[in-house]
Amino acid sequence: MGDDRALVHTLLQRQGRTYAEEAGIPLADRPAPLYQLLVLATLLSTRIRARVAVAAARELFRAGFRTPQRMEAASWQDRVDALGRGHYRRYDERTATMLGAGARLCQEHWRGDLRRMHAEADGDPAGLRRSLTEFPGIGPTGADIFLREAQQVWPDLRPFTDRRMLAGARRLGLPTESAALARLVPGTDFARFAAALIRVALGEESAGELGRLAGSH
């Protein structure tokens, strides 16, 4: 356990930023940040590099499309242009359409407030996943992305893990059971830990290098 904690400490020092943080989302249990997380999960769901998806999200938010009302009111071309500025080009037209439809669904079904979705599911990840996958562009992978990050502000989800996160833990030789992983970090750090493990799974961080650095402390 001591070696595992040293490894996790090093991992968090190097890669302990959530994807929401990278995208400039001040995540909180409020309507606008939760909607922005939904947009980010939509962008991260396509077969495109995570850094490109994050850059595209930042461009959409810089353009003012931070709420479902503003996203739907924007023209399709404005959404395409913002995605293009983030170099999200291969999927820009289809994604611009999906973001418009998703913004409309968010308003019609949840009155623009995804806390209603959380309350309806009573914190049940399976129920939340079903609701999330109703949004255009959000499949099981996108739902997992949203829930991994949302556990930062929805503590009843913790410890939420998914297949890719556990793949990162396996690569590091860490436990692959949710409860065992949760014992390695304070609950408030679990979303950061999840994002860091994703980066290991994606090959953005070397398991060997992390082990070497952890052993040197």
Side-chain angles (χ1 to χ4, degrees):
M1 179 70 81
D3 289 346
D4 286 351
R5 288 188 187 280
L7 183 60
V8 171
H9 178 73
T10 302
L11 174 63
L12 288 176
Q13 280 188 318
R14 289 170 62 85
Q15 298 288 353
R17 294 181 76 202
T18 64
Y19 285 96
E21 284 180 282
E22 277 197 33
I25 301 169
L27 196 58
D29 191 22
R30 297 197 306 271
L34 290 169
Y35 171 70
Q36 291 161 31
L37 178 58
L38 181 71
V39 169
L40 179 61
T42 303
L43 299 176
L44 284 166
S45 294
T46 57
R47 294 180 179 275
I48 204 160
R49 294 179 73 84
R51 66 171 60 94
V52 174
V54 166
R58 294 181 74 94
E59 289 296 337
L60 286 165
F61 304 148
R62 190 173 288 125
F65 312 149
R66 299 186 186 93
T67 65
Q69 295 84 359
R70 293 293 297 274
M71 184 68 81
E72 188 184 11
S75 72
W76 177 83
Q77 190 61 55
D78 283 344
R79 293 194 292 267
V80 169
D81 290 346
L83 291 167
R85 289 193 295 274
H87 304 289
Y88 198 92
R89 295 202 174 92
R90 187 159 39 139
Y91 303 99
D92 55 352
E93 296 187 356
R94 182 167 63 93
T95 301
T97 299
M98 291 191 301
L99 289 172
R104 188 161 52 254
L105 175 65
C106 185
Q107 293 176 86
E108 290 175 353
H109 200 139
W110 305 110
R111 286 183 272 170
D113 187 348
L114 295 176
R115 293 177 300 182
R116 298 178 189 280
M117 178 182 70
H118 182 216
E120 184 176 289
D122 199 23
D124 172 42
L128 282 165
R129 189 180 283 108
R130 282 193 296 273
S131 295
L132 286 163
T133 54
E134 292 176 6
F135 285 95
I138 298 281
T141 297
D144 284 347
I145 291 167
F146 183 94
L147 296 174
R148 274 200 318 260
E149 300 267 319
Q151 66 184 320
Q152 184 175 351
V153 294
W154 289 345
D156 54 353
L157 290 180
R158 297 181 201 141
F160 179 84
T161 60
D162 63 10
R163 178 179 53 81
R164 182 165 281 178
M165 182 183 166
L166 296 179
R170 191 174 301 110
R171 185 172 289 189
L172 290 171
L174 294 173
T176 53
E177 298 79 32
S178 298
L181 283 174
R183 286 193 287 271
L184 296 174
V185 295
T188 51
D189 283 341
F190 200 76
R192 295 175 56 232
F193 185 29
L197 287 174
I198 294 298
R199 295 186 181 98
V200 173
L202 294 174
E204 296 175 9
E205 181 63 84
S206 162
E209 176 72 1
L210 280 167
R212 185 184 67 76
L213 289 170
S216 68
H217 292 303

